[in-house]
Amino acid sequence: MNVIEVVETDGSTSHSADEDVQIFALVLINSAVELSGDSIGRHPRLLRMIQDDLFHHLVHYGTSSSQLVLAMICSTVLSIYHFLRRFMRLQLEAFFNYVLFRVALQGPSIQIQEVATEGIINFCRQPAFILEAYVNYDCNFMSRNVFEDIGKLLCRQAFPTPSSLTSLQLQAFEGLVILIHNIADNINMEDPSTFKPRGFEVTEYRPFWEENPEEEDENWVDSVRLRKAQKRKIMIAGNHYNLDDKKGLDYLKISNLVSGEAPDAKAYAAFFRFTPGLDKVSIGDYLGDPDEFHIKVLKEFTDTFEFSGMVLDTALRTYLETFRLPGESQKIHRIIEAFADRYYDQQSSEIFASKDAVLVLSYSIIMLNTDQHNPQVKKKMTEEEFIRNNRAINGGNDLPREYLSELFHSISTNEIKIDKQMMSNPNEMSPSRWVELVNRSRLANPFFQCDFDGRIGRDMFAAIAGPSVATLSACFEHAEEDELLHECVEGLFSIGRIAQYGLEDTLDELIAAFCKFTMLLNPYASTEETLFSFSNDLKSRMATLAVFTIANSFGFSIRGGWRNIVDCLLKLRRLKLLPQSVVEPDTDPASASDASSSSFRSESGPIFPNQDPRFSNGHQSSGIIARFSHFLAVDSAEDSLTLGASEFEQNLKIIKQCRIKNIFTSSRNFPDEGLVHLGRSLIFAAAGKGQKFNTPIEEEETIGFCWDLINTITISNIHRFSAFWPSFHDNLIAVAQFPLFSPVPFAERAMLCHLKLCLKLVSTRQADMLPEELIFRSITLMWKLDKEILDTCSEAIFKIISRILVEFPENIQTQLGWKSVLHLLVVTGRNPETYDQGVETLITILSNTNHLSRINYPCCIDCAFGFIGLKACPVDKKIKILDLLIETMNLLIRWHKNGFSDHAISNYRSSTSSNTSSSSLEENSKSLGTSNLALNMFVKLGEFLKNTSLARREEVRNHAIQGLGSIFPLAENLDFSSTSCMKCFNLVVCPMVDDLHEKVLVYSRRENVEVELRSWEESLKRSMKVLTDAFMHFLKLIWENQGFRTFWLGVLRRMDTCMKSDMGIYGETSLRKLVPELLRQMIMKMKDDNILLPSKGDDLWEITYIQIQWIAPSLKDELFPAM
């Protein structure tokens, strides 16, 4: 290969290599390597010759040879990789770095660039190369990211220009597709629908510069991923360092790249030595600092160099390439002194007698370099002057004159360039770099050969995912030939096969790219234009089918891409290309499962090759896609006429192949996060986000369609309702806060969907109450958004509510559930068409005590009060409801005797959502200060009867008063204490008397209402009798309470108020006859029970006497004869 010809022209000479001889030599070398195979590794000298001499020449001639020679060089290196890569780790990296990458990007001609690109592609065709390149180079912080650079180079060269695709672009495109297929065919891991990617984080300090042989590590995959994570952190630290050196070094500590307790100088030295792109000036200043730790870092930094076999100036060049010497002389001295020590320890000859000789000569070389190449120096140093200046520096003796002369000429002809540029990968392989590489190769670990691992395959593709999707999408856009379109689709689908393993962002980008080509999301195109484009553009139909095929195949990995898919779906619906079966429920669960497992097949035959790794081994031929594309094209008019199919029918046939319904029915296989994203996209689309409606009817139909789909996916995933519905609910709240959100008709359709889901949930008894709680929270939110829907949809709401209450009342387990259902029952009762059925439903619930529980009892009372308050409710129905509730007093007694009162309140509260407002039952428990649940429910019932006593119909209110009088004495069976008894009086009986007295006063001031006034007066008299009877019944109990005196005065005050009621123009009240009699009964009872007696120290007798004088003086002599 070194055969050259000297050509003299016009007095000048040039060297030209004999190309035929070079090719012949390369053929011989290639044949020798292929025939010898890996047996060369057993011959150290022969192996060393290949590692050093052969590879050095291959790298040297690779950058300056003709196309044929470069092609043979690439072929030779490929053979060496195949048989001897274990021994050629750094050499192979150098070949990519200095030859293939450089020529492919900066070659003198397109032809030579094509040869270099083809060389890269041939490597990519090797099954194990891309993984091994990633493991050996990309995951080693001292090496270049070879795999990532290959992927990005192919993307860059394949990216199309506005003009037609060139041969180089097509070649790079082919290489990119090969690389992607290689990963996709080997990435098979566990079920992708259950795959959970585990990213690697540097959680503890581990020396990142130490290379441990992967062959000795059983968990080599984890070790490789950890090294890649460390390398990624090092690059970030480098960026921080260039902006602020202190922050950069602090980031090393934060990232556990250096020990926080006792920093290791080797860590900092390795960071400065091998991190590309660092500021050379900052490195020089750090290394020259006199601080003790900085001096240790300087020594460790210098020890990373291998100077064996290097001439002094070559070693100095290598050393000074990595940083810029600082300007301060003392710093320069420390740095050069460290260099001299290292060089002297590694010198292979006996030229230097001491380290001082190396130090002095190194200084002299630096000064010579400045003298020879600084334009401000006019008088240049001569060779003799340089030799004379360095006399007697070698332990008192002179260095060999020939040695010094060589140094002088080397420096004068080739400057040691000390610049301020950032450290980067050099483009040229200098002799000094090659010597350093050979020295490093002796110490470096061998090339690690490994089998493909899916976890690493996923990580490596993530490094080139963005450029790959962008490039293939651009190629698909510019492709005009069917074959190129097929290859683009195959490549993009292979990306999907890879991205399903935790690369959700990449899959979303892929979907966005395909959606762009469907022409369905063009906001400026009319419906007619969109339909025309879809019908006549092969790309549009292929992209549409691809979008939904990806959704069918990889739906479990899609996240944000659902928004684009939903938008396409809605556009197809507006084009009337969507079959109604999409939103029809799947009655056969097994069919959905079968459809999921054969998502790439249909009635018309195969569409795409099945990409599911569970059912497919490797990348299949493109014949299936070719047949599918031929089916899509239908570009022959004769075929259309033969088939007798219209353009619209052809479009419907294509959409049928999309298996859109299967996307939603198979959502049961989606992870929670994927399902949440799908639901979010549908909810936002239903709210009009990103949508443009031409008519209100179109808006209503679209919203209904979205909610039908939400209903479909929710029913398919009803078994894990609690896992995803909270996010759905949060999305509903977010929708309600949109600036231009209109709840009509969103809330109406949402309400009906929620009720259907509720019916599905309660149709079977749930072990967990959370799903029921969640759905009723959302139902409540919907009717609060637009309360008018309770009227406009009352019939539809009532049908579902009544079915829930009649068929599945025992399955409603939460207080919120009962509260919501019974509230909706009351609201729908306003509708004349559903009123009768609503009342009968409530009566059915109340008639069967098995349907009543501590959870729903307060809600049933509220519902009953709602129906009784309706004007349209007949009196007999109201009385029937009152009787049923009054009878439940026996149920309360039975519950109490069964012994659930001690902890029932806590159980009750645990069944109530923390986000709902406190119920009246909870308020009563606080007011009574007791955990006696039955007693609290009794108060709830009493308050209901008290409130009903204000009904307009006399029969109803009198019946309520009578009922209260009948149940109050029974409360003694609920373990009344004196305190709780008195509080029940204050909460129920006394307020009833006060409210009725207020009504009497109101009517007494009106004209022509005497009948109504006398009716209310009669109710007041009944309530006072209830008060009197209850007082006498519980007299001994309440007398034990310290507040009895105050309570008794309150009773006397109410009697006084009623006694002195002014009936205005309607004459005297009949209460004046009743009150004295009631007072007489109560005082006589108090006397009989020895409660009201004249005694010293007790003023109750005297106070009562004074009050009787004011209220009913006629009773004074009878009740207090001794006064």
Side-chain angles (χ1 to χ4, degrees):
M1 292 181 64
N2 281 322
V3 177
I4 60 173
E5 178 183 359
V6 179
V7 180
E8 296 187 4
T9 57
D10 300 330
S12 61
T13 61
S14 62
H15 300 77
S16 63
D18 190 330
E19 183 176 296
D20 293 337
V21 176
Q22 288 181 324
I23 294 175
F24 180 69
L26 288 168
V27 171
L28 292 177
I29 294 171
N30 196 19
S31 300
V33 172
E34 291 179 353
L35 292 173
S36 303
D38 56 1
S39 61
I40 296 178
R42 296 191 290 271
H43 300 277
R45 291 186 179 181
L46 186 57
L47 180 62
R48 194 177 306 116
M49 182 188 70
I50 295 177
Q51 289 175 327
D52 191 350
D53 296 336
L54 177 59
F55 248 103
H56 190 192
H57 286 85
L58 292 176
V59 171
H60 173 72
Y61 287 103
T63 58
S64 57
S65 299
S66 64
Q67 301 174 44
L68 290 176
V69 174
L70 178 59
M72 281 304 305
I73 289 175
C74 292
S75 177
T76 302
V77 174
L78 185 60
S79 297
I80 294 173
Y81 162 79
H82 186 72
F83 296 105
L84 301 172
R85 61 182 179 274
R86 176 176 172 79
F87 311 99
M88 305 292 171
R89 176 180 163 187
L90 298 185
Q91 287 81 355
L92 288 170
E93 179 188 4
F95 184 73
F96 273 93
N97 193 14
Y98 295 102
V99 179
L100 292 181
F101 290 152
R102 180 183 175 189
V103 176
L105 290 175
Q106 304 173 4
S109 64
I110 294 295
Q111 291 75 20
I112 200 74
Q113 292 179 18
E114 290 177 355
V115 173
T117 303
E118 184 62 28
I120 295 174
I121 295 173
N122 286 334
F123 274 95
C124 294
R125 288 191 174 99
Q126 310 308 310
F129 170 76
I130 57 174
L131 180 69
E132 292 178 347
Y134 181 81
V135 170
N136 286 278
Y137 304 125
D138 293 59
C139 296
N140 189 317
F141 94 103
M142 290 189 290
S143 300
R144 180 170 181 169
N145 293 331
V146 173
F147 166 77
E148 183 175 347
D149 289 343
I150 288 175
K152 291 181 177 179
L153 181 145
L154 293 175
C155 290
R156 176 178 176 181
Q157 290 188 328
F159 202 88
T161 56
S163 57
S164 59
L165 296 176
T166 63
S167 58
L168 178 60
Q169 289 173 327
L170 292 173
Q171 183 186 38
F173 169 79
E174 178 187 1
L176 179 62
V177 171
I178 290 173
L179 184 147
I180 294 172
H181 288 332
N182 196 336
I183 299 175
D185 294 343
N186 293 282
I187 199 173
N188 295 345
M189 291 189 280
E190 63 264 31
D191 185 353
S193 63
T194 60
F195 175 75
K196 295 181 180 180
R198 181 171 64 91
F200 255 83
E201 293 294 334
V202 185
T203 57
E204 59 181 2
Y205 168 66
R206 290 181 60 180
F208 60 86
W209 63 91
E210 294 181 357
E211 292 188 90
N212 298 318
E214 287 83 355
E215 297 93 335
E216 302 176 2
D217 191 352
E218 295 180 357
N219 297 322
W220 67 270
V221 173
D222 291 342
S223 299
V224 165
R225 299 183 74 191
L226 176 62
R227 290 208 308 270
K228 182 60 178 178
Q230 288 178 325
K231 185 175 183 179
R232 195 177 295 114
K233 293 289 186 181
I234 289 171
M235 298 304 297
I236 297 174
N239 293 332
H240 286 302
Y241 182 83
N242 290 334
L243 298 174
D244 187 326
D245 54 352
K246 292 183 179 180
K247 290 183 179 180
L249 299 180
D250 288 341
Y251 185 81
L252 291 176
K253 297 179 182 179
I254 296 173
S255 302
N256 296 313
L257 296 173
V258 298
S259 177
E261 298 178 356
D264 191 345
K266 287 185 178 181
Y268 289 92
F271 173 70
F272 291 135
R273 175 73 169 89
F274 298 107
T275 305
L278 290 185
D279 184 4
K280 292 184 178 183
V281 176
S282 296
I283 297 175
D285 289 337
Y286 186 95
L287 296 177
D289 193 279
D291 181 79
E292 181 180 356
F293 182 74
H294 287 231
I295 294 175
K296 291 181 180 179
V297 174
L298 173 61
K299 183 182 183 308
E300 296 293 345
F301 177 84
T302 309
D303 288 347
T304 62
F305 291 86
E306 296 294 332
F307 295 136
S308 300
M310 288 189 184
V311 184
L312 180 60
D313 73 308
T314 302
L316 194 58
R317 292 176 193 275
T318 303
Y319 189 63
L320 296 180
E321 278 182 350
T322 57
F323 63 92
R324 179 176 174 81
L325 276 174
E328 188 178 340
S329 60
Q330 293 181 349
K331 292 185 176 182
I332 295 176
H333 178 80
R334 293 188 196 94
I335 293 173
I336 300 302
E337 184 179 22
F339 165 78
D341 292 346
R342 179 66 172 172
Y343 183 81
Y344 179 79
D345 292 339
Q346 292 189 325
Q347 67 169 335
S348 57
S349 62
E350 300 298 331
I351 294 178
F352 297 99
S354 65
K355 296 179 180 179
D356 291 339
V358 180
L359 175 62
V360 173
L361 186 56
S362 298
Y363 260 113
S364 182
I365 290 175
I366 293 174
M367 294 175 62
L368 174 64
N369 185 73
T370 304
D371 176 88
Q372 295 293 308
H373 301 286
N374 192 332
Q376 296 181 357
V377 179
K378 303 301 180 183
K379 186 178 180 180
K380 306 296 183 181
M381 184 185 303
T382 64
E383 180 180 348
E384 290 298 327
E385 290 173 339
F386 176 72
I387 296 174
R388 185 171 60 250
N389 292 340
N390 291 285
R391 287 178 180 174
I393 65 172
N394 194 21
N397 299 319
D398 292 343
L399 289 168
R401 182 181 179 87
E402 296 78 7
Y403 187 79
L404 294 175
S405 178
E406 290 179 4
L407 288 177
F408 177 84
H409 288 290
S410 175
I411 298 300
S412 61
T413 56
N414 187 9
E415 177 187 4
I416 298 177
K417 296 181 178 179
I418 305 175
D419 53 40
K420 299 182 180 180
Q421 296 178 355
M422 305 294 181
M423 293 177 61
S424 59
N425 292 318
N427 291 326
E428 298 181 1
M429 173 59 76
S430 63
S432 61
R433 294 194 185 101
W434 183 258
V435 174
E436 183 190 12
L437 183 146
V438 173
N439 291 336
R440 281 181 55 207
S441 67
R442 297 192 182 102
L443 303 175
N445 288 334
F447 192 96
F448 178 53
Q449 303 178 50
C450 54
D451 296 328
F452 203 99
D453 185 272
R455 292 167 292 175
I456 295 183
R458 170 195 170 277
D459 293 345
M460 60 194 290
F461 181 75
I464 62 169
S468 299
V469 173
T471 300
L472 293 185
S473 299
C475 291
F476 183 83
E477 182 178 9
H478 288 79
E480 297 179 356
E481 300 178 359
D482 290 349
E483 183 178 356
L484 187 57
L485 283 174
H486 302 160
E487 292 181 0
C488 289
V489 171
E490 283 184 303
L492 290 168
F493 261 79
S494 289
I495 290 177
R497 293 163 57 196
I498 303 169
Q500 66 179 325
Y501 293 102
L503 298 178
E504 293 85 0
D505 292 343
T506 300
L507 198 57
D508 292 342
E509 292 178 14
L510 182 63
I511 292 172
F514 271 126
C515 287
K516 170 186 174 184
F517 301 119
T518 62
M519 305 301 291
L520 296 174
L521 303 184
N522 185 356
Y524 304 104
S526 63
T527 302
E528 294 76 13
E529 292 172 340
T530 304
L531 186 59
F532 179 82
S533 299
F534 183 83
S535 303
N536 296 277
D537 187 0
L538 174 61
K539 291 182 183 178
S540 177
R541 287 175 288 173
M542 288 184 71
T544 301
L545 189 50
V547 166
F548 294 108
T549 305
I550 290 174
N552 268 299
S553 310
F554 316 123
F556 45 79
S557 296
I558 300 175
R559 298 296 181 264
W562 284 117
R563 178 178 177 182
N564 289 320
I565 295 174
V566 169
D567 288 344
C568 289
L569 196 63
L570 296 180
K571 193 58 178 283
L572 288 174
R573 188 180 184 282
R574 294 179 191 174
L575 296 176
K576 302 187 183 306
L577 294 177
L578 209 59
Q580 180 62 29
S581 61
V582 170
V583 294
E584 291 177 353
D586 193 350
T587 56
D588 184 9
S591 64
S593 175
D594 297 339
S596 177
S597 64
S598 59
S599 57
F600 287 84
R601 300 191 61 84
S602 68
E603 297 174 0
S604 301
I607 301 175
F608 284 107
N610 196 324
Q611 307 290 351
D612 192 333
R614 294 169 290 177
F615 307 103
S616 172
N617 294 321
H619 172 67
Q620 302 179 13
S621 68
S622 59
I624 297 178
I625 294 184
R627 291 195 298 272
F628 159 71
S629 299
H630 176 74
F631 163 75
L632 274 183
V634 195
D635 49 6
S636 172
E638 296 179 358
D639 291 344
S640 297
L641 293 174
T642 302
L643 295 173
S646 66
E647 184 179 89
F648 186 76
E649 291 172 342
Q650 292 290 341
N651 292 336
L652 287 177
K653 186 176 182 181
I654 295 169
I655 299 304
K656 185 178 181 180
Q657 303 302 310
C658 294
R659 302 186 64 83
I660 295 175
K661 179 181 179 180
N662 183 64
I663 297 173
F664 302 97
T665 56
S666 63
S667 62
R668 62 175 62 90
N669 299 320
F670 292 2
D672 293 343
E673 185 180 0
L675 190 62
V676 165
H677 278 81
L678 173 57
R680 180 178 185 271
S681 299
L682 289 170
I683 291 172
F684 279 25
K689 188 172 184 180
Q691 305 298 318
K692 183 180 179 182
F693 305 111
N694 297 322
T695 63
I697 296 178
E698 181 181 301
E699 178 184 8
E700 185 174 353
E701 291 178 348
T702 300
I703 293 173
F705 177 73
C706 290
W707 278 111
D708 288 340
L709 292 179
I710 294 172
N711 184 70
T712 300
I713 65 173
T714 304
I715 290 177
S716 297
N717 295 274
I718 203 76
H719 58 284
R720 49 170 173 162
F721 187 86
S722 302
F724 66 86
W725 193 262
S727 298
F728 280 27
H729 184 79
D730 292 341
N731 291 327
L732 293 174
I733 296 175
V735 162
Q737 297 173 351
F738 285 173
L740 301 178
F741 171 71
S742 174
V744 181
F746 177 87
E748 177 181 329
R749 300 308 297 263
M751 184 70 174
L752 296 178
C753 175
H754 282 66
L755 288 174
K756 292 177 183 177
L757 296 177
C758 178
L759 178 60
K760 178 68 176 180
L761 280 172
V762 301
S763 61
T764 56
R765 188 168 182 82
Q766 303 291 324
D768 183 11
M769 293 187 292
L770 183 57
E772 179 185 325
E773 186 80 23
L774 292 172
I775 191 63
F776 279 112
R777 282 174 55 198
S778 298
I779 289 174
T780 303
L781 174 64
M782 286 302 99
W783 70 258
K784 286 184 177 180
L785 284 179
D786 183 16
K787 295 184 179 181
E788 292 183 1
I789 64 175
L790 299 179
D791 294 326
T792 57
C793 303
S794 60
E795 293 186 34
I797 294 174
F798 176 78
K799 288 180 181 179
I800 300 176
I801 293 299
S802 62
R803 185 178 174 189
I804 291 174
L805 289 172
V806 173
E807 298 181 16
F808 314 110
E810 67 280 358
N811 294 340
I812 307 176
Q813 305 178 63
T814 65
Q815 193 266 350
L816 177 61
W818 277 105
K819 181 179 180 180
S820 301
V821 170
L822 294 175
H823 171 75
L824 293 175
L825 183 66
V826 172
V827 173
T828 54
R830 301 170 185 168
N831 191 326
E833 298 181 4
T834 59
Y835 168 75
D836 292 334
Q837 294 175 319
V839 173
E840 290 300 327
T841 301
L842 176 61
I843 292 175
T844 302
I845 294 293
L846 296 177
S847 300
N848 189 344
T849 55
N850 293 327
H851 293 161
L852 297 178
S853 67
R854 66 181 187 274
I855 298 298
N856 67 5
Y857 188 79
C859 305
C860 290
I861 292 175
D862 292 335
C863 180
F865 185 75
F867 273 105
I868 289 176
L870 294 177
K871 295 181 179 179
C873 184
V875 173
D876 59 331
K877 297 290 185 182
K878 293 182 179 182
I879 293 178
K880 176 66 174 177
I881 294 173
L882 284 172
D883 288 337
L884 290 173
L885 281 175
I886 291 170
E887 291 174 4
T888 61
M889 184 63 194
N890 297 322
L891 181 63
L892 294 181
I893 297 173
R894 186 166 70 249
W895 285 348
H896 180 71
K897 289 182 178 180
N898 289 337
F900 67 82
S901 59
D902 294 336
H903 57 275
I905 280 287
S906 60
N907 291 340
Y908 163 77
R909 287 172 177 168
S910 66
S911 68
T912 306
S913 173
S914 59
N915 294 328
T916 59
S917 60
S918 298
S919 66
S920 59
L921 186 59
E922 290 178 307
E923 294 173 354
N924 291 335
S925 67
K926 295 177 182 178
S927 300
L928 292 175
T930 177
S931 60
N932 188 329
L933 181 59
L935 184 56
N936 289 312
M937 290 183 177
F938 165 74
V939 174
K940 177 72 176 179
L941 177 60
E943 289 182 333
F944 160 74
L945 295 173
K946 177 201 71 173
N947 295 330
T948 307
S949 68
L950 299 177
R952 293 181 60 87
R953 298 298 295 267
E954 183 179 4
E955 302 93 324
V956 175
R957 63 174 180 263
N958 288 343
H959 200 79
I961 296 170
Q962 180 184 349
L964 181 59
S966 65
I967 68 170
F968 212 87
L970 298 177
E972 63 184 358
N973 297 307
L974 302 179
D975 293 338
F976 253 10
S977 65
S978 61
T979 301
S980 58
C981 181
M982 188 172 292
K983 288 183 176 180
C984 286
F985 272 95
N986 292 331
L987 289 172
V988 178
V989 182
C990 294
M992 177 180 65
V993 174
D994 295 339
D995 292 341
L996 287 170
H997 178 259
E998 182 65 28
K999 282 288 187 180
V1000 170
L1001 293 180
V1002 170
Y1003 276 89
S1004 68
R1005 300 187 185 100
R1006 298 179 182 177
E1007 296 181 355
N1008 302 321
V1009 291
E1010 184 174 1
V1011 175
E1012 290 85 350
L1013 174 61
R1014 297 305 174 184
S1015 173
W1016 283 103
E1017 185 182 23
E1018 179 62 27
S1019 298
L1020 176 58
K1021 291 165 61 177
R1022 291 172 180 262
S1023 69
M1024 294 178 69
K1025 291 179 181 179
V1026 170
L1027 173 60
T1028 301
D1029 294 340
F1031 177 84
M1032 291 189 296
H1033 186 86
F1034 291 104
L1035 177 60
K1036 290 184 178 181
L1037 185 62
I1038 60 177
W1039 178 70
E1040 298 173 358
N1041 192 277
Q1042 295 179 353
F1044 175 75
R1045 181 175 178 275
T1046 303
F1047 174 74
W1048 171 240
L1049 291 176
V1051 173
L1052 293 175
R1053 178 184 58 80
R1054 288 178 174 83
M1055 293 295 177
D1056 181 44
T1057 302
C1058 294
M1059 186 71 177
K1060 299 176 180 178
S1061 297
D1062 183 10
M1063 306 298 286
I1065 61 175
Y1066 300 109
E1068 186 176 344
T1069 175
S1070 60
L1071 292 171
R1072 293 178 180 176
K1073 295 180 180 180
L1074 177 64
V1075 170
E1077 178 60 24
L1078 298 178
L1079 283 172
R1080 188 186 65 79
Q1081 295 177 14
M1082 289 187 287
I1083 292 175
M1084 291 301 294
K1085 177 64 175 175
M1086 293 172 70
K1087 285 183 176 183
D1088 293 342
D1089 292 343
N1090 297 323
I1091 294 174
L1092 187 64
L1093 296 173
S1095 61
K1096 294 182 180 181
D1098 186 4
D1099 60 351
L1100 184 61
W1101 175 273
E1102 184 177 352
I1103 292 175
T1104 304
Y1105 172 73
I1106 295 173
Q1107 291 295 324
I1108 292 299
Q1109 283 186 315
W1110 283 98
I1111 301 171
S1114 60
L1115 297 177
K1116 181 180 63 171
D1117 295 336
E1118 179 184 355
L1119 300 178
F1120 302 94
M1123 296 295 292

